[in-house]
């Protein structure tokens, strides 16, 4: 019930906080408990793993990008036995690979997966994977931070026990709050886990016992008021426009980017080989041999710093470019100006590009 003295705002009531949770639950079409945590999505991502994994856990950790690698580190730190299933970053995992891992390691009781890796531009077929996980009976943990708003995210239909989302990408909202839907199975696993965080900022059990079980009458601590109001406004905007419309806009931007790059030439090409494996939230590109991605991006941004372009992280900074066509940049205009800028930077390096062909290819999606 507190607010900052410099803010001309009424205090954020517990009823309003709970109503925002309810709207997020409807966005996910879930009947599970939804907890909005007062921090960036790494908070519930780590809290959910530490709450449900421990020395008795055998986890199948699917690695299709850097976040999958991080989840494996957290699981090992919890004392879990980890079976890493690594997939090249230019591809997606398949349900067949998951079933093969279960056959080889029947003791697996936890599966961690990133739905869409914005960092590498791939997306995984969660509906098919969820079916395999349900057949095996393992707890299913999903990072849907990048995918929510860009493609369907349906924790109940897919059998996801812990589904973490953030608003800062496709939803076009704030980064300072995030949410997780939690199944009854996941709550039971946490309650039985002696290593689950308690009286901690990472603790989901604290939220269940003091917030949910208490009838959502008393918050654990002072809420991040501005971020909560921004999340409310973000969800309201999606409700008004329609989630299907928002998803379609991202799909169109992704398809236009892929087509535009192929028409542009200059030896720039999609990083993810198959279009069906490419995430609609962001498109990654592979630079020509001898062209450093971070330098190409820097040249493009020098002309227009507002372009939704970034080089890949770490070693990928040499060869990968990300076109971050999400949220307000999920438009054909943002796609076109980004590709034209990259084309100009490639032409400055002596490569042959077809800017007009790129324009025509993108315009075909209008």
């Amino acid at each position: 019930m507190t607010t900052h003295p410099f803010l001309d705002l009424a205090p954020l009531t517990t009823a309003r906080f709970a109503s925002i949770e309810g709207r997020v639950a409807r966005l996910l079409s879930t009947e599970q408990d939804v907890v909005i945590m007062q921090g960036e999505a790494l908070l519930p991502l780590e809290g959910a793993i530490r709450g449900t994994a421990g020395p008795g856990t055998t986890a199948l950790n699917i690695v299709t990008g850097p976040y999958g690698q991080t989840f494996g580190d957290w699981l090992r730190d919890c004392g879990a036995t980890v079976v890493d299933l690594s997939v090249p970053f230019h591809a997606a995992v398949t349900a067949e690979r998951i079933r093969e891992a279960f056959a080889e390691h029947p003791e697996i009781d936890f599966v961690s997966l990133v739905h869409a890796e914005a960092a590498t531009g791939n997306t995984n077929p969660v509906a098919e994977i969820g079916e395999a996980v349900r057949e095996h009976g393992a707890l299913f943990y999903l990072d849907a931070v990048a995918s929510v708003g860009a493609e369907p995210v349906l924790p109940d239909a897919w059998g996801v026990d812990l589904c973490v989302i953030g608003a800062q990408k496709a939803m076009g909202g704030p980064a300072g709050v995030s949410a997780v839907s939690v199944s009854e199975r996941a709550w039971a696993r946490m309650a039985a886990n002696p290593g689950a965080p308690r009286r901690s900022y990472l603790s989901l059990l604290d939220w269940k016992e003091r917030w949910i079980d208490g009838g959502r009458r008393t918050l654990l601590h002072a809420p991040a008021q501005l971020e909560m109001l921004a999340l409310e406004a973000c969800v309201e905007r999606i409700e008004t426009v329609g989630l299907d419309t928002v998803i379609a806009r991202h799909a169109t931007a992704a398809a236009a980017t892929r087509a535009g790059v192929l028409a542009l030439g200059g030896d720039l090409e999609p990083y993810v080989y198959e279009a069906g494996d490419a995430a609609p939230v962001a498109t990654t590109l592979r630079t020509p041999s001898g062209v450093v991605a971070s330098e190409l991006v820097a040249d493009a941004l020098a002309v227009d710093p507002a372009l939704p372009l970034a080089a890949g992280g770490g070693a990928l900074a040499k060869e990968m470019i990300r076109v971050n066509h999400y949220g307000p940049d999920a438009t054909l205009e943002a796609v076109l100006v980004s590709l034209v800028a990259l084309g100009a930077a490639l032409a400055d390096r002596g490569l042959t590009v077809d800017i007009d062909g790129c324009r025509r290819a993108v315009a075909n999606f209008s």
Side-chain angles (χ1 to χ4, degrees):
M1 294 291 288
T2 61
T3 191
H4 195 284
F6 292 140
L7 298 179
D8 186 20
L9 296 169
L12 182 69
T13 65
T14 54
R16 191 166 185 182
F17 192 106
S19 75
I20 299 171
E21 285 185 331
R23 294 173 84 164
V24 171
R26 289 191 291 276
L27 184 72
L28 298 175
S29 298
T30 184
E31 297 296 324
Q32 297 177 4
D33 289 323
V34 168
V35 178
I36 296 180
M37 299 191 77
Q38 306 296 281
E40 199 267 341
L42 282 172
L43 175 62
L45 285 170
E46 183 174 358
I49 281 181
R50 295 193 181 277
T52 52
T57 303
T58 299
L60 176 63
N61 180 51
I62 302 157
V63 182
T64 58
Y67 280 100
Q69 294 170 331
T70 297
F71 300 159
D73 292 339
W74 287 340
L75 286 161
R76 290 182 178 90
D77 190 55
C78 291
T81 299
V82 180
V83 178
D84 282 323
L85 173 53
S86 296
V87 177
F89 289 178
H90 60 252
V93 74
T94 65
E96 278 184 301
R97 296 281 308 272
I98 306 297
R99 288 190 171 94
E100 289 169 1
F102 289 153
E104 189 174 348
H105 300 278
E107 69 277 15
I108 289 171
D109 61 357
F110 184 99
V111 175
S112 51
L113 174 70
V114 178
H115 186 183
E117 287 266 13
T120 51
N122 53 31
T123 191
N124 293 298
V126 183
E128 298 167 19
I129 292 168
E131 183 177 350
V133 174
R134 280 197 303 274
E135 291 170 1
H136 187 73
L139 201 75
F140 193 9
Y141 163 101
L142 184 69
D143 171 355
V145 174
S147 57
V148 64
E151 52 189 308
V153 175
L154 302 167
D156 291 13
W158 296 343
V160 178
D161 295 288
L162 295 154
C163 182
V164 177
I165 67 167
Q168 70 269 28
K169 287 188 167 65
M171 289 176 63
V177 289
S178 48
V180 54
S181 65
V182 187
S183 72
E184 289 300 325
R185 288 202 321 153
W187 284 132
R189 180 80 68 98
M190 284 184 224
N193 180 11
R198 305 300 293 270
R199 295 168 294 282
S200 163
Y201 208 60
L202 285 171
S203 177
L204 283 167
L205 278 176
D206 286 356
W207 280 95
K208 175 168 174 54
E209 294 175 358
R210 297 168 56 189
W211 170 243
I212 296 172
D213 293 349
R216 290 182 168 87
R217 290 191 295 270
T218 304
L219 288 164
L220 276 63
H221 44 72
Q225 183 174 14
L226 288 180
E227 287 80 1
M228 288 296 295
L229 295 178
L231 176 61
E232 182 182 49
C234 164
V235 174
E236 182 174 352
R237 184 174 62 242
I238 293 172
E239 291 170 344
T240 300
V241 174
L243 179 59
D244 289 345
T245 298
V246 176
I247 289 173
R249 189 166 66 230
H250 284 82
T252 299
T257 303
R258 197 172 184 92
V261 167
L262 294 174
L264 179 65
D267 293 331
L268 192 67
E269 60 185 16
Y271 191 89
V272 177
Y273 292 172
E274 301 293 334
D277 293 340
V281 68
T283 298
T284 49
L285 308 175
R286 191 183 303 273
T287 54
S289 176
V291 176
V292 178
S294 57
E295 295 175 0
L296 195 70
V297 168
D299 288 350
L301 292 177
V303 177
D304 184 355
L307 293 175
L309 294 173
L316 294 175
K318 294 182 179 180
E319 64 177 17
M320 180 191 285
I321 294 171
R322 294 204 321 267
V323 183
N324 294 317
H325 45 67
Y326 55 70
D329 289 317
T331 66
L332 295 182
E333 180 183 1
V335 166
L336 182 57
V337 295
S338 297
L339 295 183
V340 168
L342 291 174
L346 286 169
D348 288 343
R349 287 164 169 76
L351 284 93
T352 301
V353 296
D354 184 357
I355 298 293
D356 288 338
C358 176
R359 291 182 187 278
R360 288 193 296 271
V362 172
N364 284 337
F365 291 87
S366 61

